[in-house]
Amino acid sequence: MQHKKYIKRCLQLAKKGIGTTRPNPSVGAVVVLEDTIIGEGFTSPYGGPHAEVNAINSVANQELLKKATIYVTLEPCSHHGKTPPCADLIVKKQIPKVVIGCLDTNSLVAGKGIERLKNAGCEVILGVLEKECLQHHKRFFTYQNKNRPYVVLKWAETKDGFIAPLTRDEKNRYGYLILFRGK
């Protein structure tokens, strides 16, 4: 389906911002007219423009926006932070159709961006590749919903569950404590 193709591109773009946008989510956005991408962007490092702004600004002929569709991985924001609301920019540029991967669970947004777009007459489609978009934004959602960082733990272990042998210093310091993961 056409919508999935463009949300996939949004997800590719969104990955470019991972690690630089915190506490904001790393969003991807593309602007499409007649099955052709005419603009694209992703969230700038924290404090800079959001994905929608970067995608809209990348369109050479701004008049084309009035006939275009914007695709985004996450609901456009509807509140003022370091930057103005993206939903307001979409309305101002008169973009008639917005396709969104998933809802923003941040209490400052949480459906308010979609409501603002619909009230301005935009057609809104929500939930395209929702599972993939939720997975992509898991770091942001963990922070927003659980008030903690998303933690990734990696280690190497032997087949019998040992992580590493103790060094001589560790043996002297801890006795013969063995790091072992129980099964």
Side-chain angles (χ1 to χ4, degrees):
M1 181 179 195
Q2 178 180 336
H3 294 323
K4 288 182 181 179
K5 174 173 91 171
Y6 294 121
I7 291 292
K8 281 182 183 178
R9 178 61 183 150
C10 290
L11 286 165
Q12 290 172 340
L13 292 166
K15 289 178 183 174
K16 294 181 177 188
I18 290 177
T20 65
T21 63
R22 194 177 142 259
N24 293 331
S26 180
V27 176
V30 296
V31 180
V32 176
L33 179 65
E34 298 171 1
D35 205 24
T36 302
I37 294 175
I38 60 171
E40 57 183 30
F42 59 93
T43 307
S44 299
Y46 179 63
H50 294 181
E52 299 91 331
V53 176
N54 288 331
I56 289 168
N57 288 342
S58 74
V59 175
N61 181 351
Q62 294 282 299
E63 284 299 309
L64 295 177
L65 292 169
K66 294 177 183 176
K67 299 183 280 183
T69 300
I70 188 166
Y71 291 80
V72 292
T73 58
L74 186 68
E75 173 185 8
C77 65
S78 57
H79 65 286
H80 285 271
K82 291 204 177 269
T83 62
C86 294
D88 288 354
L89 179 64
I90 293 168
V91 169
K92 178 182 175 188
K93 295 292 184 173
Q94 301 175 2
I95 300 172
K97 189 171 185 178
V98 183
V99 179
I100 302 166
C102 63
L103 192 68
D104 189 339
T105 59
N106 179 345
S107 62
L108 295 172
V109 183
K112 296 176 188 120
I114 291 172
E115 183 180 342
R116 190 171 289 179
L117 294 168
K118 285 182 175 180
N119 288 342
C122 294
E123 177 187 351
V124 176
I125 298 172
L126 175 64
V128 177
L129 293 180
E130 184 175 32
K131 183 179 174 184
E132 291 87 340
C133 290
L134 289 168
Q135 175 67 22
H136 169 77
H137 291 295
K138 64 188 173 191
R139 294 163 188 84
F140 175 70
F141 291 139
T142 299
Y143 178 74
Q144 290 299 316
N145 301 331
K146 298 180 180 182
N147 199 26
R148 66 168 177 82
Y150 181 83
V151 178
V152 176
L153 177 63
K154 293 183 180 183
W155 70 85
E157 69 179 36
T158 61
K159 285 184 180 180
D160 57 357
F162 288 92
I163 295 173
L166 294 175
T167 64
R168 183 181 310 191
D169 289 341
E170 289 170 328
K171 287 178 186 174
N172 290 338
R173 212 173 321 141
Y174 304 116
Y176 282 91
L177 170 72
I178 297 175
L179 301 174
F180 182 74
R181 182 179 60 87
K183 297 198 189 251

